[in-house]
Amino acid sequence: MAQDLRSQEFTNPIDIAEYLFKRLKQVGVQSIHGVPGDYNLVALDYIAKNGLHWVGNCNELNAAYAADGYARITTNGKGCAALVTTFGVGELSAVNGIAGSYSEYVPVVHIVGYPTTTAQKNGLLLHHTLGNGDFHVFSKMSAQISCAVSMLNDPHEAAVLIDNAIRECILQSRPVYIGLPSDMVTKKVEGDRLNTPLDLDFPPNDPEKEDYVVDVCLKYLHEARNPVILVDACAIRHRALKETHDFIVKSGIPVFVAPMGKGAVDESHPTYGGVYAGNGSNKGVQERVESADLVLSIGAIKSDFNTAGFTYRLSQLKTIDFHSYGVTVRYSEYPGVRMNGVLSKITSRLGKLNIESGPSPTNTIPSTQNSSDQTITQAWFWPRLGQWLQPSDVVITETGTSNFGIWETRFPKDVTAISQVLWGSIGYATGACQGAALAVKEQNQQNNTKRRTILFTGDGSFQLTAQELSTMIRNKLNPIIFILCNNGYTIERLIHGMNDPYNDVQEWKYKDLPAAFGGKEGEDVLTYRVETKEEVEKLFEDQVFVSGETKQLRFVELVMPWDDAPEALKKVAESAAKRNV
Ligand code: TPP
């Protein structure tokens, strides 16, 4: 009765859950990840009703990783991803994944189904509580890894809180937490609010301040003789890729990427020079970047693994840092001036520059690897992969040898790279592959394209989240998955305990898993095992395996030596080992 009276206050009353899912759909979300639970079941009824697809993950951690992967594909526009979990047990399982999204600036909306507001008020001794009547404890935990927490306990403010959460999620590119008590799901809010789309444009910089910063940057830029551009992850995460690209093309300045910036720039562009990561870089790259008289650093995240163990040798006196929150020119800080506006103004006002050219990387396999030895070595595989990849591929790598090997892979145009170099939770890549492959499938259907999603993960990492293969089969996804079978935690062996049993894993029959998860060979999946370079070559030429149109998920056991690692990893492991004592 009370609800009926309240709904009369609105011209177009709709249920809170309907409002929430319609808003998510408006910002481009087509699929919702998660796991059901009795506190979210009623809300789940609204997903299909509003034209959204329910993924149904095997567990909440995987759902969080998958949502992260999905978001990294959709944020090229202004999108995000969403997952639904249940109070306490479900949401806490997702926390590691959400923390990763927070750390790496990925916009994920985490919706948690709560017990009713009355049960909360009365402090009932309910399942999934700590048994102490505290219903705030889990949202307080999540507040540390969310840029907004919206508890929908009052229908009068629910629509505003939902709008605020989704907007903050996308603008700050970080997770948000929405608590939805089960009795609030059907309470009414004003549906007409949906006629006004959320404003997802970054607020413009103060023009006077922006002009000043642009002038300062241009002064140093026009004085420079051998500047370089260094692009990193935040250029991707904070949607500055177009501005970055325009600047690269117009300026003609040699451009390099940090490992987390892989995929941010067109690596087939003539001024692309390679991956810069201090001592982990190829020789020509390190020399060129470190001898520059000006480094234009766009969206840097100078973490240990991203800088090959803090081995950058770049002076702040020769650096201009562009960030989402401000610009730093040498030692002068200009807070509150977002890089997007500054970069596009610099490009439009740029005069003629005197520039020394940079090195041009190739995908050539090192001559030492061209021997008749058939072993699939890391030094051979990653450059070879660069020759095989296609434009627009999505390439996912995992914490382990693949995250470092990929430094040696020169991408064709428009490749999107996904990895979790800062947070580094193993198992992430397989979960993220499910989400990315789904987002790619949706985009392929919409744009009539044939993008491929390709995963490289270690055998050890795969064992943490292997069940997501089941979700991929269930959702008819067709990624190409390479399991690097090298008998255990090779990256850990290099850091400590080369021969110790704690770095071994049980050897699984990985190829048998798709069948165990209900996938039919030939119909849903195609499985392969390659042990020699020749077998890799044959696989790379197999048109069914290669094609983006192939409907089946492709699953490859890629056998590599247990003690082999990319050169960059060897250097990083050495410095990680030193920091651990
Ligand atoms: N647990 C989590 C959740 N995340 C971690 N990063 C670790 C443990 C520590 N760790 C980092 S890498 C790694 C482990 C255990 C081993 C990865 O081995 P594998 O996937 O086989 O990759 P390889 O180096 O052999 O390619």
Side-chain angles (χ1 to χ4, degrees), residues 488-528:
Y489 303 143
T490 300
I491 182 173
E492 299 287 64
R493 293 189 198 280
L494 266 81
I495 296 172
H496 188 83
M498 190 70 189
N499 293 294
D500 285 289
Y502 50 70
N503 283 327
D504 298 338
V505 295
Q506 172 66 22
E507 260 190 78
W508 288 5
K509 291 181 178 164
Y510 297 99
K511 241 162 34 99
D512 292 354
L513 284 179
F517 290 136
K520 288 201 186 71
E521 181 78 30
E523 207 171 295
D524 306 306
V525 292
L526 301 168
T527 56
Y528 309 83

Side-chain angles (χ1 to χ4, degrees), residues 166 188 190 245 321 536 561:
I166 296 175
K188 301 292 177 193
E190 178 54 70
H245 178 77
D321 276 304
V536 173

Side-chain angles (χ1 to χ4, degrees), residues 474-490:
R474 181 180 177 195
N475 284 268
K476 306 216 173 305
L477 304 178
N478 66 344
I480 300 175
I481 298 178
F482 290 89
I483 309 293
L484 276 50
C485 297
N486 57 5
N487 299 74
Y489 303 143
T490 300

Side-chain angles (χ1 to χ4, degrees), residues 529-542:
R529 180 177 173 88
V530 287
E531 298 185 23
T532 63
K533 288 177 183 165
E534 232 168 69
E535 285 168 358
V536 173
E537 295 295 353
K538 238 175 100 194
L539 189 68
F540 279 2
E541 279 162 24
D542 174 342

Side-chain angles (χ1 to χ4, degrees), residues 30 107 135 148 171 224 297 319 338 373 423 480 515 538 560 580:
Q30 296 184 42
F135 288 84
L171 287 183
S297 158
T319 304
R338 177 176 276 277
D373 184 351
W423 184 245
I480 300 175
K538 238 175 100 194
M560 291 177 134
N580 283 340

Side-chain angles (χ1 to χ4, degrees), residues 270-282:
T271 59
Y272 176 69
V275 178
Y276 175 70
N279 291 347
S281 329
N282 289 335

